């Protein structure tokens, strides 16, 4: 089981090339970190095997970030297959038909379905290019979040800049808010455009923060994780 002192509000993104690199990083982080995210980029590098090993052998919690989107029957079948791995979180796109199908696929399991509202790497110009209706991003995020909750989502993925607004929604009571786009003070933004520090994201209503590059690209990943945990300890 995870170390009792592991603060599971921190989810470390294992956006590394393959499962061996992921295991190496988890080994370096040790008991400090009890929750890991494995994304689509790792899928062909042994991502599901890594998820299973971290969960079953090391007692870690696992967030599988697949952002599934398809017709309902396909999403339901995919989620039913993933749910057999006894993982903790899975992302799907927040369209109501996708969320409903994912919840059907996860029926009877503890797998939490998290809906993606608007990707944290996108800004209004990106939405215009994708023919997404006009409007401020926070307003669209809040509306998508409310619709996803109504469809049964256990939580949402949203920029830390929208966390407080989502937390204030009546539909958000008892639901999870997980925020990528979190950067410790002084860290490079990378491709993220809507960011906040770990403490601010939690203070604004996030239940979990996802931190990737600032930890796994660090010269000393364990020290970088400790710095985030120290910041979280104050909120």
């Amino acid at each position: 089981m995870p170390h009792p002192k592991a603060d599971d509000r921190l989810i470390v993104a294992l956006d590394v090339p393959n499962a061996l690199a992921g295991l190496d990083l988890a080994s370096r982080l040790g008991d400090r970190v009890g929750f890991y995210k494995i994304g689509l980029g790792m899928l062909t590098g042994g991502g599901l095997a890594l998820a299973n090993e971290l969960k079953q052998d090391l007692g870690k919690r696992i967030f599988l970030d697949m952002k599934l989107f398809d017709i309902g029957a396909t999403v339901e079948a995919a989620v039913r297959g993933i749910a057999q791995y006894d993982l903790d979180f899975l992302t799907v796109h927040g369209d109501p038909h996708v969320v409903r199908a994912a919840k059907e696929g996860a029926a009877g399991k503890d797998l939490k379905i998290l809906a993606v509202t608007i990707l944290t790497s996108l800004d209004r110009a990106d939405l215009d290019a994708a023919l997404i209706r006009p409007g401020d991003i926070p307003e669209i995020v809040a509306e998508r979040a409310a619709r996803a909750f109504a469809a049964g989502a256990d939580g949402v993925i949203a920029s830390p800049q929208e966390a407080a607004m989502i937390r204030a929604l009546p539909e958000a009571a008892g639901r999870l808010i997980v925020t990528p786009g979190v950067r410790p003070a002084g860290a490079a933004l990378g491709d993220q455009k809507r960011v906040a520090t770990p403490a601010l994201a939690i203070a604004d209503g996030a239940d979990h923060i996802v931190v990737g590059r600032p930890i796994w690209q660090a010269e000393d990943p364990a020290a970088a994780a400790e710095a985030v945990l120290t910041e979280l300890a104050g909120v």
Side-chain angles (χ1 to χ4, degrees):
M1 296 302 292
H3 191 282
K5 292 184 178 175
D7 187 341
D8 279 358
R9 291 179 297 174
L10 171 62
I11 301 175
V12 173
L14 292 176
D15 296 329
V16 292
N18 53 53
L20 287 177
L23 274 177
D24 178 64
L25 180 60
S27 166
R28 295 170 73 182
L29 295 177
D31 289 339
R32 296 173 187 83
V33 175
F35 212 149
Y36 287 100
K37 179 174 88 76
I38 295 173
L40 201 54
M42 171 78 85
L43 197 59
T44 55
L48 280 176
L50 174 62
N52 203 42
E53 186 162 350
L54 290 173
K55 178 79 179 186
Q56 303 303 330
D57 296 348
L58 300 180
K60 305 298 185 182
R61 297 178 73 191
I62 299 295
F63 167 11
L64 199 62
D65 188 17
M66 296 289 106
K67 299 184 182 71
L68 299 177
F69 181 87
D70 213 311
I71 64 170
T74 301
V75 169
E76 183 179 342
V79 174
R80 186 172 293 112
I82 289 168
Q84 305 311 307
Y85 285 86
D86 192 30
L87 306 180
D88 298 271
F89 293 175
L90 172 70
T91 48
V92 303
H93 277 274
D95 303 59
H97 83 275
V98 176
V99 173
R100 283 193 294 269
K103 286 295 291 179
E104 285 292 325
K109 300 290 185 178
D110 291 331
L111 180 67
K112 303 291 188 192
I113 300 299
L114 305 181
V116 175
T117 54
I118 300 290
L119 296 173
T120 55
S121 61
L122 304 183
D123 58 19
R124 185 61 250 181
D126 296 316
L127 299 193
D128 291 342
L131 302 180
I132 304 296
R133 71 164 174 81
D136 292 335
I137 285 183
E139 168 199 327
I140 295 173
V141 166
E143 191 173 335
R144 280 180 65 78
R147 292 183 183 196
F149 289 142
D154 298 296
V156 294
I157 306 293
S159 153
Q161 295 181 14
E162 287 103 40
M165 184 178 53
I166 292 174
R167 181 53 70 206
L169 293 171
E171 298 91 340
R175 309 296 178 98
L176 297 165
I177 298 175
V178 179
T179 61
V182 172
R183 292 288 181 269
L189 296 185
D191 59 4
Q192 299 291 341
K193 295 175 181 175
R194 306 193 327 272
V195 302
T197 63
L200 183 59
I202 294 293
D204 280 348
D207 297 284
H208 300 274
I209 60 168
V210 179
V211 182
R213 277 164 290 199
I215 291 177
W216 64 259
Q217 280 188 343
E219 213 167 291
D220 185 345
E226 286 281 8
V228 174
L229 291 165
T230 298
E231 184 177 336
L232 289 182
V235 290

